[in-house]
Amino acid sequence: MSTEGSLSGLPVVWHEDCLRHDPAGEVWLGQRDAGTEVPARATAILRALTAAGATVVPPQVHDRDALLAVHDQGLVDHLATIWADWTAGGYPREYGRDRVVPYVFPTPALLAGMPPRVPAATHAQPGLYCYDTMTLIGPGSWEAIQAAADCARTAAALLIEGTSAAYALCRPPGHHAGPAGYGGSCYLNNAAIAAQALRTAGAGTVAVIDIDAHHGNGTQSIFYNRADVFYGSVHVDPAAGWFPHYLGFADETGSGAGRGWTRNIPLAPGTGDDAWLTAVGQLCARARGAEAVVLSLGVDAAAADPESPLQVTAAAYHQAGELVGRIAPVAAVQEGGYDVASLGEYVVATLRGVQSGRARASA
Ligand SMILES: [Zn+2]
């Protein structure tokens, strides 16, 4: 197996607005921490891809319809306006709350069967859409959220035009964002936006293969009832105490028409290359026949990553990319990956694998 070779010809879709999102940390267990979803992640990946010979292309700007194809209007409007409302309400200046953070959540326990209303107070509104306290919004967040979605949508457009593989350097990531809610450092679901664009353009079925170390609960929720987009994920077992805690179990397999169109393979903490690659292979076998693949490319399964206990090497990510590349044309979308020192190497290795798999598929 070779992980060498140039990435020449592989379009990397990127916009500098993705750096404007500065969540200034996260509130975890009631304390503000520095957080790991930082702009340096994107610049490290961009540097590695450029050094490997990839071609950087700008995204096309898409209208709201591309977002509303997978998200509720309320969520999109909230993300677009809450920072302006927050500052107009004086929260940073008068109360020292320099980022948008929810504090009350309309859980089933609170509502007791009553429908949720949109609360009057600005500070009560984030909890209607944001399901955790880690996913803050500040100046520049909406510009980055839109740019990331545009990058993913553009990678899909490149496939529609006949490109065999493309990569969207999305920041913030997206796979924890569902139809009507955000969390897990994700705001809009970039991978789902790409998958839906491919379906709308005529791809018969689309497979989303999610190799981020965490379950992509948002992507699963968006396609859970559908029999046109397969969602397959390998991730650290939520039953072992890992985010997103409530979703990502093996018995979640889709519902209604979508029964059998979701496949979760949870792995024990500490799992390394062999079992991880076996799981990726199982997802790819199930995805065979799809006309396009969206690869939710989180590299936080890396051994050095601070956010997950999986122990996967860059060589295994290369092999995973090759397995995915053999299925169909691939739009890879950046998800997590928080070890800034190594994530560029992992992304490059995976994309080289994708190119190798595509070459074999067309040979
Ligand atoms: Zn992750």
Side-chain angles (χ1 to χ4, degrees), residues 49 55 67 78 86 94 123 140 153 176 196 308 324 356 360:
L49 288 167
T55 308
L67 313 180
H78 172 79
W86 193 263
E94 293 172 29
H123 55 277
R153 176 73 183 73
H176 294 304
Q196 182 59 49
S308 116
V324 171
S356 164
R360 285 179 187 228

Side-chain angles (χ1 to χ4, degrees), residues 175-176 212-214 300 336 338:
H175 73 153
H176 294 304
D212 187 280
H214 306 97
D300 44 5
Y338 305 97

Side-chain angles (χ1 to χ4, degrees), residues 173 175-176 184 186 210-216 235-236 243 298-301 305 307-308 335-338:
H175 73 153
H176 294 304
C186 300
D210 189 333
I211 60 173
D212 187 280
H214 306 97
H215 178 245
H235 49 266
V236 63
F243 191 87
V299 294
D300 44 5
D305 197 279
E307 299 288 355
S308 116
E335 302 285 1
Y338 305 97

Side-chain angles (χ1 to χ4, degrees), residues 250-269:
D251 62 1
E252 296 160 17
T253 59
S255 73
R259 194 170 298 275
W261 285 75
T262 291
R263 177 88 195 269
N264 288 320
I265 306 182
L267 298 176

Side-chain angles (χ1 to χ4, degrees), residues 191-203:
I193 288 165
Q196 182 59 49
L198 288 159
R199 277 288 298 127
T200 302

